[in-house]
Amino acid sequence: MQHLGPPVTNDLSLSFSSSLSLSRPLNPTPSPSPFRPIQLQPLRILCVAVNPQHDQPKNQRLRPLPENSPRRLLKELAERKKYVAPPHKRAPPKRFILKPPLDDKRLAERFLNSPQLSLRSFPLLSSCLPSSKLNSADTTWISEYLLEAKQALGYPLEPSDTLDEDNPAKQFDTLLYLAFQHGKGSGSERMKARHVRYGHSRLCFLGQYVLELGLAELLLQRYPRESPGPMRERVFALVGKWRLPGRIKAAGLENLVFPYDEMTKLHRRDREAPVKSVFWALMGAIYLCYGMPEVYRVLFEVFGLDTDAEDCQPKLRRQLEDVDYVSVEFENKQLTWQDVVAYRPPEDALFAHPRLFRACVPPGMHRFRGNIWDYDSRPKVMQALGYPLKMDDRIPDIPEARNIELGLGLQLCFMHPSKYKFEHPRFCYERLEYLGQKIQDLVLAERLLMKHLDAPGHWLQEKHRRLLLNKFCGRYLRDKHLHHYGIYSEQVQDAYEHNRRLRNPATTAIQQAIHGLSYVVYGKPDVRRLMFEVFDFEQIQPKPV
């Protein structure tokens, strides 16, 4: 085959071919020559479109076109004329579309008819009720599944509506229904209702802090010599979100959490979040209706928590030798959750929580009585905090004994671990700080629930987090000029003098330890007084000019 034209290359951007074959040869008459006749092959004509830059030298081929070249300008104009479709914009979800506000009359009717304002004697319980009355879909779930839930948790099967008005357990059926409406997975149409969605999230918001405070009180009394680090590891091993599906299955509640799915076949992220939400909401509902002792019973009898299990033990670490005494009730005895529930303080007790005070404040603190801090700093700290409080005591000697113990507890709150911890591991504020973190979390959560009746749980969670940031806790203490009374070692004191920011975590710990001490001495009302009247955590009091 004979090719006409320039050779074909592989880098052509455009090519086409046309072939022409002749049916008869051009010279059909045989040649009289003695030589062998020549057979002409069919003529094929190949037309090729050649790249115009092919014939140029390589150095000129890679050279870009000049800026004022007409070809360059035409090429840019053609690219600009190309139509580019804009990205598809989704319509905003309906919950983010602003709606006109309700007029004053309808808004007043909505709040006055809400079950949240029906209980005057139980404001916290009333704030966790649904914002509107239950509808037919809600009562259908209650009639079908509530008996199974109450039987699994160990409660009587009679409706709670038959109880007296003064009994908070009268609302248990409603709160138990809200606790199981997590709204994830199949069959979550009921959660689309606003009163169900908000009611469950508010219960979940409260229940997580109830759970943490209950376990903190138990572990502080069960392990009187242990530092907070191992106790936090025990709590994570007992009620971490990776553990909760097993707890729910042990109680036989997996069919109520996932009525249309099999829990063991679900992916981990689809299984743990709903179970954690339901577990926390159950703790909140039980706490509101029956109190903390019933929370312990459900945790250890129904869900099967075991603090002595091998997989719930903290990791091994170097332990400091504890040569100090513990209280007599903790000596050679490890308290159980039944002992914590059955304990009733005597009528003439010095403190609101006597055993918890002795678990956090070691008896050896009496060696610091009468030192320089006790004479110089303690009166100023007590005056700034409004101590001592007036109490109705039948025995005249009780206030004096309480004030002595309160002064030693305050000195422990200001005692940094760098001072005595290596020789006496419990002579620092760590255990009181651990308790104070949990009680201030619960106190603020209760206040936000009663203050914002119409707010969902995730909004309350974010506001709670922002109000209790560690930097704010230390700042409130420094605003009262109480950070000057901290007890540090000389090395740490010199480091704080050179860099004042280093002391901020210490002032935060002192602030939380003061809350823990006020809880064990005077109870939860005094924690509220310190948080919202003395330190003004919500920052709503007028500032001095």
Side-chain angles (χ1 to χ4, degrees), residues 418-432:
S418 63
K419 187 67 174 176
Y420 300 109
K421 182 178 179 180
F422 289 99
E423 292 81 12
H424 307 275
R426 286 180 290 129
F427 286 177
C428 62
Y429 52 61
E430 288 183 344
R431 289 172 68 88
L432 282 174

Side-chain angles (χ1 to χ4, degrees), residues 132-153:
S132 60
K133 296 181 179 180
L134 301 181
N135 53 31
S136 59
D138 304 327
T139 55
T140 300
W141 191 97
I142 291 176
S143 61
E144 291 182 1
Y145 300 104
L146 192 66
L147 293 180
E148 182 182 352
K150 296 177 76 172
Q151 184 177 8
L153 295 173

Side-chain angles (χ1 to χ4, degrees), residues 282-488:
L282 281 175
M283 295 300 106
I286 295 171
Y287 171 75
L288 290 172
C289 295
Y290 297 101
M292 190 64 79
E294 189 65 17
V295 172
Y296 285 125
R297 185 196 69 83
V298 173
L299 283 175
F300 288 93
E301 289 188 356
V302 178
F303 292 111
L305 268 67
D306 184 11
T307 54
D308 294 330
E310 293 184 2
D311 52 356
C312 295
Q313 302 306 313
K315 62 183 180 181
L316 296 178
R317 49 169 60 84
R318 183 175 64 91
Q319 296 288 344
L320 298 173
E321 185 181 1
D322 193 349
V323 298
D324 299 295
Y325 294 101
V326 294
S327 183
V328 178
E329 52 197 329
F330 304 125
E331 192 72 39
N332 300 325
K333 181 183 178 182
Q334 203 169 47
L335 300 182
T336 62
W337 70 269
Q338 292 93 340
D339 298 331
V340 175
V341 170
Y343 178 73
R344 295 291 183 271
E347 294 182 0
D348 54 348
L350 292 179
F351 315 111
H353 303 277
R355 181 188 282 170
L356 199 56
F357 177 88
R358 290 189 288 271
C360 296
V361 182
M365 281 297 297
H366 278 271
R367 74 182 66 182
F368 299 105
R369 183 180 174 187
N371 61 0
I372 297 178
W373 195 95
D374 194 23
Y375 275 104
D376 185 25
S377 303
R378 181 183 58 83
K380 301 175 184 177
V381 172
M382 294 185 73
Q383 181 180 4
L385 298 179
Y387 288 146
L389 301 182
K390 293 182 179 180
M391 305 288 290
D392 297 332
D393 299 311
R394 297 181 302 173
I395 303 176
D397 296 335
I398 287 183
E400 182 181 359
R402 181 188 298 116
N403 294 341
I404 292 174
E405 298 288 347
L406 177 63
L408 295 177
L410 284 175
Q411 187 167 351
L412 184 65
C413 290
F414 284 86
M415 196 172 289
H416 193 265
S418 63
K419 187 67 174 176
Y420 300 109
K421 182 178 179 180
F422 289 99
E423 292 81 12
H424 307 275
R426 286 180 290 129
F427 286 177
C428 62
Y429 52 61
E430 288 183 344
R431 289 172 68 88
L432 282 174
E433 175 199 3
Y434 177 54
L435 179 63
Q437 289 175 357
K438 308 307 176 185
I439 187 59
Q440 76 177 15
D441 284 343
L442 182 60
V443 166
L444 184 59
E446 292 177 355
R447 185 175 182 89
L448 292 178
L449 284 169
M450 292 186 288
K451 190 173 182 180
H452 305 280
L453 295 177
D454 210 31
H458 59 84
W459 185 88
L460 295 173
Q461 183 75 47
E462 182 63 19
K463 189 171 183 64
H464 183 280
R465 186 188 69 84
R466 291 176 181 273
L467 288 175
L468 287 184
L469 289 173
N470 285 341
K471 62 178 182 179
F472 292 152
C473 295
R475 183 184 302 173
Y476 302 148
L477 185 83
R478 294 191 293 271
D479 289 344
K480 293 293 181 180
H481 304 286
L482 295 177
H483 58 285
H484 304 295
Y485 306 115
I487 306 172
Y488 310 100

